[in-house]
Amino acid sequence: MARLIWLCLKCIMLYSTVQAVFEDQVGKFDWRQQYVGKVRFSHFDSHVQSSKKVLVATENNVFASLNTRTGELFWRHVDKTGPEGNIDALLQHGQDAVLVVGNGRLLRSWEINIGGLNWEIVLDSGSFQSACLVGQQDTVKHVAVLKKTIISLHYLSNGHQKWIENLPESETVDYQAVYSGGNGEVYALGVVPHSHIAIVAYSLEDGEIIKQISVEAPWLSNIQASCSVIDQGVLTCVDSATVSLYMLDLHLQSQMTQIPLQSLGLEVTPGFQPVLVSTQPNPARPPLSEFLLQLGPEHHLLLQLNNGHIVTLRDFKPAMLVSFATTGEKTVAAVMSPKNKTACSINLFSGETGRRLLDTTLIFNLDPNGGKPEKLYVQAFLKKDDSVGYRVIVQTEDHTLTFIQQPGRVMWTREEALSDVVTMEMVDLPLTGTQAELEGEFGKKADGLMSMVLKRLSSQLILLQAWIAHLWKLFYDARKPRSQVKNDVTIENLSRDEFNLQKMMVMVTASGKVRDQSLPSRGVTSVSRGMSCALFGIDSKTGSILWRHYLNNIPSNPAFKLMVQRTTAHFPHPPQCTLLIKDKDTGLATLHVFNPIFGKKSHISPPPLPQPILQSLILPLMDQDYAKVLLLVDDQYKVSAFPSTKNVLQQLQEMASSIFFYLIDSSQGRLSGYRLRTDLSTELIWEVVVPTEVQRIVSVKGKRPNEHVHSQGRVMGDRSVLYKYLNPNLLAVVLESTDLHQERSFVGILLIDGVTGRIIHEAVQRKARGPVHVVHSENWVVYEYWSTKSRRNEFSVIELYEGMELYNSTVFSSLDRPHAPQVLQQSYIFPSSISTMEATLTEKGITSRHLLIGLPSGGILSLPKMFLDPRRPEIVTEQSREENLIPYAPELLIRTEWFINYNQTVSRVRGIYTAPSGLESTCLVVAYGLDIYQTRVYPSKQFDVLKDDYDYMLISSVLLALFFATMISKRLAEVKLLNRAWR
Amino acid sequence: MARPLPFKIAVVSSVLFIVCTNFVCCNNGRKVGDVMDTEFSGFSVPLEHSFEVDDVAKFRVRGALVLKAGREPSVSLTQSQLSEEDRTKLKDVAAVDGLYRVRVPRVFLQADRQTERQMEGYLTAFVRACAMVESHLSDVISLHTDVSGYLIGVSIVTLPGACRGTEVEDEVDLEVFNTTLSIMAPVNAPGPETALFLERMEMESEKKGKNPQEQKSFFAKYWYLILGGAIFLMVTNSAQPPAGGGREQS
């Protein structure tokens, strides 16, 4: 009995794990890369000499610890997106890192070794200004937090508040900085712009105001941007208008002393706002008397305050970046200066004297396709002979972190731009050179028998040569120990595999939101930035970055569209991708044309686009070089083509009457259709107007152009066929009500033919609200919404059928489909909210479809479309059983074995991209968000692949045995026949 | 057959009546431009069409749509015949594969006053002129409204819809519009059917409850098998040691 039960259990287990990944398959077909985003604050863990940790807090609200040896993550904490999780400040002391989060909402302390939370407290409300560690007698026990109206002091050990005080005259004074020099006093520094500085000194013990002074400073508007405390509490400011330094001893004076920069023999680059940087290695002690002054984009100075006089220790010119670092008692300044066009050198200078330290030169090679260096983080350490050694992290404009060791060895790089992927495409890899040579033979024009024969012979020779080279390499490699044989993927040896499972992922990243202006800029990150946009080429098999290209001059509010104009199938023409970058504010667009395999910018110069662009569409038409034609519609409704050769224009003229496009103006609720004329102007042919007072257009989804549908219909239980309505021009338009009251809000779905403007179906989901996620494919539309009535997420599926007979089975034309399709719809409850949704895609469309759903929990759910079928019967009949329809159940369950990323959580998933592979059963999936995850899915299992453990031996031996058996029996039969004949 | 003639007439006329009620076939021969008497709560808007050889839209009145607001909005159409000139023009346009366009003004059905009903702009749609000619002016026009009763779109198709290039010889075929008209409001999409599902579940559990065989527990059902198995196990266990011992002895 026990065995029976055991067997049953086994069966159940086996059945339920069929879709899951086996343990030995983990990481075989999938990979994940974890990112943190653009670094805002960074601290090297310096309390242990041999520490290999660097703490980073990023613009993406991530706090993480990186391994300095490998660049991998030790641990990572992902906070809420948006201003709620914004990391305002990062302070580190010993084993603790203190974070201020969410514009001063929370104060958190983390243990940096394992990344555990020590404590968290909620701060009093008020907008955050500044924070600093406060020490006394060489021990640091407190942290001070300055807000708009209050200042509070907390214990580092448990976060408890020691005292909290209101700031005097906080209505008029804008308090911006807090400073402590370790003498038992905490200074709050405020400014009344263009009037005076207010300085309030609090006692560390009980928060009593010791001193309150105000000093005339009519030139000052922002303390954080132009002031810094140096030496024994001397507030030093720099003013670009009067070109002078102002100094104020916080303990003694009540008047600022002005030191014109000219008197020091210094000059400011015109139009440049000088920047002061000081260093306070130990919060329990005052800052050093040495400080840095930046006078121009490439001009820095190391100055020293010596008995009230300013001494220039060293003039760094040219110097792009300068940064202080301290180890033990020694403070050094690392200076990055340009060496030549492709490299920079970094040198160390003694902080006290300004002398260059010997043997500290480090070379940083600039990537011509990368951005300029932006920030320098230095880790200094004492060598055995007491000299200072160092390593640096260079952060460039494209958000790349490069960790370099002396004398210029790059230990690792992290492409943090990949945490902000906006769009991507997958491109087939090219054939190898030899394969391409053979293929090329067919592509060329035939020119005589003899030359063809010669060509064939030459290509065969090349093949032979390649084969011999391959053999030689095998032989050569065999002699070497296995560990040395590298099998790296590089751009040179990229080639398509047998089943086209390895592809090039072209990713477009855009990061760097315009910083919230309500938050005052804090210190070093005060430089205002626009968008940073980069292109990446990633090998889909291993995830290694094969090329990257940083794009300059990106508008601040861009929209991107990536299009493949020519695939790799047209050797010898290189593949070609086009990125359309459009400024959402002005509508002006630029094109970036590049080769997706190598990332090189194409020599084809894109046309200038002086007019704002309304719409772009890629046509199936090709020019004589096999590049698909891209049509751009400008705001005058004129159409321009790219490429615009004579051949293309001629084809366009011929095709003009069958080229239609649609425009959507969501601000006016207007959907309109246009037809191309032979002179490349357009004419308005249909118009649908949705009143914006009631609803707004949220999204419009067409079908993917590379989608194939294998079966035209569905076989019903009674063997008749229900034909699908497969309109390639169908658009699903999602409307959301402007009224958000839970009783009156609704979500509308319009199915519109994009050519004729005919409204095929119009449905409204009452008491529902967005965000709506839509997938539109084949003959169905699936959408997800929030039901305000039942307070839950719901899925709804619409399927369109032509009926029992097909109107025109050979070709589909929107102009000739007079009958409206049958519409079936059903809804289901989904137990989780979702982040994004996409459908699987395969080569021929034979494989059943799955929906890939990105959940906020980080899981990627593969939900069979079978469960979202409006024909699921409520009452099971013989016919529905025959058809394999699942009986209707209102709830869609999330089964754990449906998660395609098992435990590889994808944080903040924003998009899922699917691409077909050469195998019909296999679909390639890339999920991107903060992390990037690539895998393969097999919606109908691997029906076209033999299993790994397929027994070739058995099959071949059985075959051989049968073969011999037939031979022998044949022989025996012959002998027998002969014998019988003799008888 | 000895059926009376009046009976036949009655059958025919009733069939005709049914057909006519299904399709609002409107051609009462009135001249366009006549004052349309707006019936109670109904109001009329012009239906305009355009077909030009050079494809530059010039809209002219084709008829008048009488819209009736309410819970179930309805629509009817009054339209005139095509003039001789228009007929030849339509054929010309069809020959160059031009478009036959229609448009209606944007209106708000649920408004009370005429001034509130009319809104700026038009809703347009088109068919190929050749389809219009080859179908002998048989078109299907549907008007779509949104949730609150704004007219958002118009669509026109012909029956049959294809352009096969067949010549329309008879001019008479192009005189009268044979229009099927409808007005459509959005369909209410269904929510998850929990009530029915629960009912079904209850029914099933009730069915189970009625059947006493099903209600029994696992052990109650298969006690004899379990007992048999247990006895079998016991017998085999107790039988083995003596057998082994026997072998030892020999």
Side-chain angles (χ1 to χ4, degrees):
Chain A
M1 195 61 220
R3 270 188 203 166
L4 204 97
I5 293 172
W6 183 235
L7 204 79
C8 277
L9 274 177
K10 255 190 185 169
C11 272
I12 293 166
M13 294 243 293
L14 275 176
Y15 272 114
S16 59
T17 51
V18 171
Q19 284 200 324
V21 188
F22 292 103
E23 198 178 343
D24 60 339
Q25 286 182 323
V26 165
K28 205 171 166 190
F29 306 118
D30 63 322
W31 50 262
R32 175 179 67 162
Q33 287 171 355
Q34 291 186 303
Y35 293 97
V36 294
K38 193 201 170 179
V39 173
R40 183 182 286 172
F41 306 107
S42 167
H43 278 291
F44 283 97
D45 176 22
S46 55
H47 80 282
V48 190
Q49 190 62 252
S50 61
S51 172
K52 46 180 185 179
K53 264 191 281 304
V54 57
L55 301 176
V56 289
T58 70
E59 310 252 304
N60 292 28
N61 306 351
V62 175
F63 178 49
S65 167
L66 303 179
N67 185 339
T68 54
R69 302 277 188 280
T70 59
E72 280 157 16
L73 292 171
F74 277 123
W75 46 261
R76 182 180 75 169
H77 293 288
V78 182
D79 210 328
K80 287 175 191 152
T81 50
E84 232 180 309
N86 187 48
I87 297 170
D88 300 317
L90 165 64
L91 305 166
Q92 193 208 339
H93 177 255
Q95 299 231 354
D96 299 331
V98 179
L99 289 185
V100 183
V101 179
N103 197 14
R105 195 171 51 88
L106 292 170
L107 189 66
R108 283 193 187 130
S109 168
W110 299 94
E111 207 280 332
I112 60 169
N113 287 323
I114 52 162
L117 184 67
N118 288 332
W119 48 261
E120 175 188 271
I121 57 154
V122 181
L123 294 174
D124 280 27
S125 61
S127 122
F128 173 79
Q129 296 293 325
S130 176
C132 79
L133 292 170
V134 181
Q136 200 176 16
Q137 288 148 5
D138 278 4
T139 53
V140 182
K141 281 186 180 161
H142 304 100
V143 56
V145 180
L146 182 78
K147 292 196 161 195
K148 203 102 198 160
T149 55
I150 46 174
I151 180 167
S152 57
L153 200 75
H154 301 265
Y155 291 100
L156 264 184
S157 53
N158 52 18
H160 289 175
Q161 187 175 294
K162 186 169 184 181
W163 49 259
I164 181 163
E165 292 297 326
N166 283 319
L167 293 165
E169 297 160 38
S170 57
E171 309 86 55
T172 50
V173 182
D174 186 9
Y175 289 94
Q176 288 176 339
V178 59
Y179 157 78
S180 164
N183 55 356
E185 288 171 9
V186 180
Y187 292 89
L189 309 175
V191 63
V192 177
H194 310 294
S195 171
H196 62 268
I197 301 178
I199 299 158
V200 188
Y202 290 93
S203 156
L204 177 61
E205 289 309 317
D206 49 7
E208 203 180 323
I209 294 179
I210 298 171
K211 188 161 62 174
Q212 189 178 352
I213 46 175
S214 83
V215 183
E216 286 292 307
W219 40 269
L220 187 68
S221 61
N222 191 340
I223 292 185
Q224 295 250 328
S226 46
C227 297
S228 188
V229 180
I230 55 167
D231 205 15
Q232 306 285 338
V234 179
L235 182 70
T236 313
C237 298
V238 62
D239 176 40
S240 54
T242 53
V243 201
S244 23
L245 286 174
Y246 290 88
M247 301 182 100
L248 172 74
D249 195 320
L250 293 176
H251 309 292
L252 308 168
Q253 289 159 319
S254 58
Q255 195 146 21
M256 293 202 113
T257 40
Q258 184 182 8
I259 305 168
L261 286 175
Q262 216 150 15
S263 69
L264 301 169
L266 302 173
E267 248 179 72
V268 181
T269 313
F272 186 81
Q273 166 76 39
V275 182
L276 264 175
V277 180
S278 68
T279 178
Q280 187 176 11
N282 188 346
R285 290 192 204 152
L288 301 183
S289 57
E290 293 82 21
F291 61 99
L292 289 167
L293 179 63
Q294 188 181 5
L295 293 176
E298 293 209 339
H299 187 197
H300 290 80
L301 287 161
L302 180 65
L303 302 176
Q304 190 183 38
L305 185 70
N306 198 347
N307 298 327
H309 299 286
I310 288 183
V311 185
T312 307
L313 292 180
R314 185 108 190 180
D315 191 344
F316 304 117
K317 192 176 183 180
M320 299 138 87
L321 296 169
V322 181
S323 178
F324 276 124
T326 304
T327 176
E329 292 297 307
K330 286 184 179 169
T331 295
V332 290
V335 179
M336 179 187 257
S337 45
K339 193 168 179 227
N340 52 37
K341 270 195 176 164
T342 58
C344 292
S345 64
I346 303 170
N347 283 296
L348 274 196
F349 294 84
S350 160
E352 284 127 57
T353 59
R355 262 208 310 266
R356 198 170 84 87
L357 300 178
L358 290 174
D359 299 328
T360 56
T361 310
L362 190 152
I363 306 295
F364 172 65
N365 288 314
L366 285 172
D367 185 345
N369 295 324
K372 286 195 205 103
E374 204 175 45
K375 263 196 243 177
L376 200 61
Y377 304 104
V378 184
Q379 181 189 24
F381 54 88
L382 286 175
K383 288 187 194 162
K384 283 198 181 106
D385 58 351
D386 219 29
S387 64
V388 181
Y390 73 119
R391 304 180 190 104
V392 288
I393 293 180
V394 182
Q395 184 179 0
T396 47
E397 282 174 332
D398 52 354
H399 305 178
T400 307
L401 295 180
T402 314
F403 188 77
I404 314 169
Q405 213 176 18
Q406 273 177 292
R409 196 156 72 89
V410 174
M411 302 279 284
W412 47 264
T413 54
R414 286 182 68 89
E415 301 288 352
E416 291 303 339
L418 284 171
S419 64
D420 291 291
V421 175
V422 279
T423 179
M424 67 169 290
E425 280 288 339
M426 267 185 166
V427 184
D428 292 351
L429 290 175
L431 301 164
T432 53
T434 46
Q435 284 170 325
E437 182 69 31
L438 271 183
E439 289 277 323
E441 213 176 295
F442 302 107
K444 282 168 200 158
K445 307 272 180 298
D447 39 12
L449 189 71
M450 202 57 210
S451 62
M452 285 291 276
V453 169
L454 280 179
K455 217 176 267 174
R456 163 49 65 92
L457 281 179
S458 72
S459 50
Q460 296 284 31
L461 257 177
I462 290 167
L463 269 184
L464 188 72
Q465 201 182 338
W467 185 64
I468 290 167
H470 176 71
L471 279 186
W472 173 249
K473 192 167 176 283
L474 271 185
F475 175 70
Y476 194 76
D477 281 350
R479 292 192 309 172
K480 278 200 275 187
R482 181 149 297 184
S483 59
Q484 279 186 19
V485 183
K486 273 189 189 165
N487 215 352
D488 273 347
V489 185
T490 57
I491 256 177
E492 282 75 33
N493 63 16
L494 269 183
S495 68
R496 197 180 303 179
D497 61 335
E498 221 174 332
F499 298 118
N500 204 2
L501 289 163
Q502 186 180 7
K503 294 198 180 199
M504 177 67 85
M505 294 159 54
V506 179
M507 296 189 129
V508 183
T509 67
S511 47
K513 290 126 237 155
V514 180
R515 283 194 83 188
D516 196 350
Q517 292 305 310
S518 65
L519 295 173
S521 48
R522 294 194 184 87
V524 266
T525 54
S526 64
V527 191
S528 63
R529 288 161 295 102
M531 277 316 252
S532 156
C533 170
L535 284 165
F536 287 89
I538 300 174
D539 171 33
S540 76
K541 197 176 180 186
T542 58
S544 51
I545 296 163
L546 298 176
W547 57 264
R548 67 196 173 100
H549 190 98
Y550 177 67
L551 295 175
N552 292 314
N553 304 328
I554 298 299
S556 59
N557 190 10
F560 298 93
K561 188 172 176 184
L562 183 63
M563 291 157 284
V564 182
Q565 280 201 292
R566 182 164 51 220
T567 60
T568 37
H570 306 286
F571 187 80
H573 301 290
Q576 183 180 325
C577 270
T578 302
L579 178 68
L580 178 78
I581 307 157
K582 181 178 152 181
D583 189 344
K584 275 189 204 159
D585 302 327
T586 62
L588 289 173
T590 49
L591 292 175
H592 176 73
V593 187
F594 63 99
N595 180 333
I597 304 299
F598 303 109
K600 285 192 197 99
K601 198 170 173 179
S602 171
H603 60 272
I604 303 162
S605 57
L609 305 168
Q611 297 284 345
I613 296 297
L614 296 178
Q615 173 74 294
S616 65
L617 63 161
I618 208 131
L619 295 180
L621 288 182
M622 288 193 200
D623 72 347
Q624 69 269 40
D625 292 340
Y626 306 102
K628 281 183 188 159
V629 176
L630 171 70
L631 285 192
L632 297 162
V633 186
D634 64 22
D635 65 341
Q636 305 296 315
Y637 304 103
K638 291 264 183 218
V639 173
S640 53
F642 170 69
S644 58
T645 55
K646 214 174 241 175
N647 176 305
V648 169
L649 294 178
Q650 196 184 338
Q651 283 190 62
L652 275 180
Q653 268 179 13
E654 283 163 18
M655 298 277 294
S657 64
S658 58
I659 296 174
F660 298 85
F661 56 90
Y662 64 91
L663 295 178
I664 286 157
D665 183 353
S666 58
S667 64
Q668 292 179 31
R670 186 181 299 272
L671 298 107
S672 40
Y674 291 81
R675 184 164 83 154
L676 195 67
R677 283 188 181 161
T678 45
D679 60 345
L680 292 189
S681 64
T682 59
E683 56 179 336
L684 179 75
I685 51 173
W686 59 265
E687 216 171 349
V688 167
V689 186
V690 183
T692 46
E693 302 90 74
V694 187
Q695 59 232 304
R696 63 200 162 86
I697 298 169
V698 182
S699 71
V700 178
K701 279 256 175 158
K703 286 178 193 175
R704 290 178 63 164
N706 57 347
E707 176 185 279
H708 293 274
V709 182
H710 184 256
S711 55
Q712 289 270 308
R714 281 176 65 163
V715 181
M716 316 272 285
D718 59 358
R719 296 288 180 272
S720 60
V721 179
L722 185 63
Y723 288 99
K724 295 173 183 172
Y725 179 78
L726 296 167
N727 183 350
N729 309 315
L730 196 68
L731 303 173
V733 180
V734 181
L735 308 168
E736 267 181 48
S737 62
T738 45
D739 188 352
L740 288 177
H741 187 270
Q742 59 167 13
E743 285 295 316
R744 293 187 295 272
S745 66
F746 64 88
V747 168
I749 293 280
L750 276 181
L751 300 181
I752 293 186
D753 188 303
V755 170
T756 61
R758 186 178 172 197
I759 297 176
I760 304 289
H761 183 65
E762 200 185 347
V764 59
Q765 200 88 44
R766 292 193 191 266
K767 291 174 188 167
R769 200 193 293 174
V772 182
H773 299 270
V774 197
V775 171
H776 183 189
S777 179
E778 287 190 31
N779 64 327
W780 47 265
V781 178
V782 171
Y783 60 94
E784 186 263 3
Y785 56 90
W786 170 256
S787 164
T788 52
K789 185 188 166 199
S790 317
R791 295 165 186 279
R792 64 190 175 201
N793 291 90
E794 291 179 3
F795 265 88
S796 198
V797 56
I798 299 177
E799 284 196 1
L800 305 169
Y801 290 99
E802 291 226 347
M804 288 306 177
E805 49 195 291
L806 220 49
Y807 180 79
N808 179 353
S809 58
T810 48
V811 69
F812 188 97
S813 166
S814 284
L815 296 169
D816 178 20
R817 278 285 138 143
H819 303 291
Q822 294 173 16
V823 181
L824 303 174
Q825 187 166 15
Q826 214 169 49
S827 299
Y828 313 87
I829 303 162
F830 193 67
S832 163
S833 66
I834 73 170
S835 302
T836 184
M837 185 158 67
E838 187 55 84
T840 59
L841 193 67
T842 51
E843 181 98 346
K844 299 267 180 265
I846 299 168
T847 310
S848 59
R849 310 292 294 270
H850 278 203
L851 287 173
L852 299 170
I853 301 166
L855 302 179
S857 62
I860 311 282
L861 188 75
S862 176
L863 179 70
K865 169 68 181 55
M866 208 166 40
F867 284 90
L868 290 160
D869 181 352
R871 301 190 61 251
R872 281 176 71 177
E874 275 171 11
I875 293 140
V876 186
T877 60
E878 196 59 46
Q879 291 212 341
S880 68
R881 209 171 287 146
E882 184 84 16
E883 230 187 299
N884 272 334
L885 290 175
I886 308 161
Y888 180 77
E891 188 170 18
L892 294 171
L893 296 172
I894 295 181
R895 293 201 204 157
T896 41
E897 68 265 21
W898 283 348
F899 285 109
I900 57 170
N901 56 341
Y902 46 107
N903 63 355
Q904 307 279 314
T905 312
V906 187
S907 282
R908 288 191 200 149
V909 56
R910 263 197 320 275
I912 295 173
Y913 179 87
T914 53
S917 73
L919 280 174
E920 172 53 33
S921 64
T922 310
C923 168
L924 304 175
V925 176
V926 181
Y928 54 86
L930 188 62
D931 303 340
I932 295 175
Y933 179 73
Q934 191 276 146
T935 190
R936 301 173 189 173
V937 289
Y938 318 99
S940 299
K941 317 277 164 58
Q942 286 178 290
F943 62 82
D944 51 2
V945 179
L946 290 179
K947 290 219 173 64
D948 282 347
D949 54 356
Y950 185 76
D951 203 339
Y952 294 94
M953 276 305 284
L954 186 74
I955 288 286
S956 46
S957 55
V958 164
L959 266 179
L960 272 178
L962 278 174
F963 177 73
F964 282 117
T966 39
M967 292 296 282
I968 290 162
S969 56
K970 196 179 167 193
R971 175 84 194 129
L972 286 177
E974 268 173 13
V975 168
K976 201 176 176 185
L977 272 177
L978 194 69
N979 285 342
R980 196 182 289 162
W982 275 108
R983 229 171 255 163
Chain B
M1 291 296 278
R3 269 210 185 119
L5 184 70
F7 179 74
K8 276 186 186 172
I9 290 170
V11 168
V12 169
S13 59
S14 62
V15 165
L16 265 179
F17 181 67
I18 288 163
V19 168
C20 287
T21 44
N22 281 351
F23 298 98
V24 193
C25 247
C26 306
N27 180 34
N28 56 6
R30 252 191 305 197
K31 260 202 160 175
V32 179
D34 281 359
V35 183
M36 245 68 74
D37 48 337
T38 47
E39 287 150 61
F40 62 99
S41 82
F43 63 101
S44 94
V45 289
L47 172 70
E48 293 167 297
H49 63 176
S50 150
F51 42 95
E52 301 292 330
V53 180
D54 60 353
D55 246 359
V56 178
K58 276 186 212 128
F59 284 99
R60 285 161 297 147
V61 176
R62 165 175 157 180
L65 290 163
V66 179
L67 294 160
K68 225 180 274 179
R71 201 161 260 281
E72 279 174 14
S74 65
V75 65
S76 57
L77 175 63
T78 348
Q79 55 191 350
S80 59
Q81 296 185 350
L82 272 186
S83 67
E84 177 82 46
E85 192 189 336
D86 283 348
R87 284 201 295 266
T88 47
K89 197 169 158 195
L90 186 61
K91 280 177 104 175
D92 289 346
V93 175
V96 297
D97 197 15
L99 302 182
Y100 174 85
R101 302 148 190 265
V102 288
R103 76 171 184 191
V104 289
R106 288 179 63 198
V107 286
F108 180 35
L109 292 181
Q110 308 298 352
D112 297 326
R113 273 170 306 195
Q114 186 70 29
T115 47
E116 284 175 16
R117 281 177 188 147
Q118 293 282 349
M119 292 192 304
E120 214 175 303
Y122 288 90
L123 306 167
T124 47
F126 74 100
V127 280
R128 291 162 78 187
C130 55
M132 201 72 190
V133 171
E134 284 176 35
S135 67
H136 303 173
L137 303 186
S138 326
D139 54 354
V140 182
I141 296 178
S142 36
L143 302 168
H144 296 265
T145 66
D146 76 341
V147 184
S148 47
Y150 286 96
L151 212 57
I152 60 164
V154 58
S155 69
I156 177 167
V157 287
T158 59
L159 265 173
C163 280
R164 295 207 171 73
T166 45
E167 277 286 310
V168 179
E169 295 296 336
D170 205 351
E171 286 277 313
V172 185
D173 284 342
L174 290 181
E175 264 183 11
V176 188
F177 284 106
N178 176 19
T179 307
T180 311
L181 197 63
S182 61
I183 185 157
M184 283 186 228
V187 182
N188 270 334
E193 287 282 353
T194 39
L196 221 87
F197 180 74
L198 288 178
E199 209 173 283
R200 207 181 74 207
M201 292 286 279
E202 258 171 41
M203 288 237 298
E204 258 167 41
S205 62
E206 257 176 49
K207 223 187 255 174
K208 264 187 195 164
K210 273 180 200 159
N211 196 344
Q213 277 262 289
E214 302 264 316
Q215 220 176 4
K216 280 183 186 172
S217 70
F218 181 78
F219 283 99
K221 251 193 267 179
Y222 301 110
W223 63 271
Y224 47 93
L225 278 181
I226 295 162
L227 192 72
I231 289 169
F232 179 71
L233 276 176
M234 258 157 59
V235 169
T236 47
N237 278 352
S238 55
Q240 241 159 15
R247 224 176 280 144
E248 241 174 277
Q249 275 175 352
S250 64

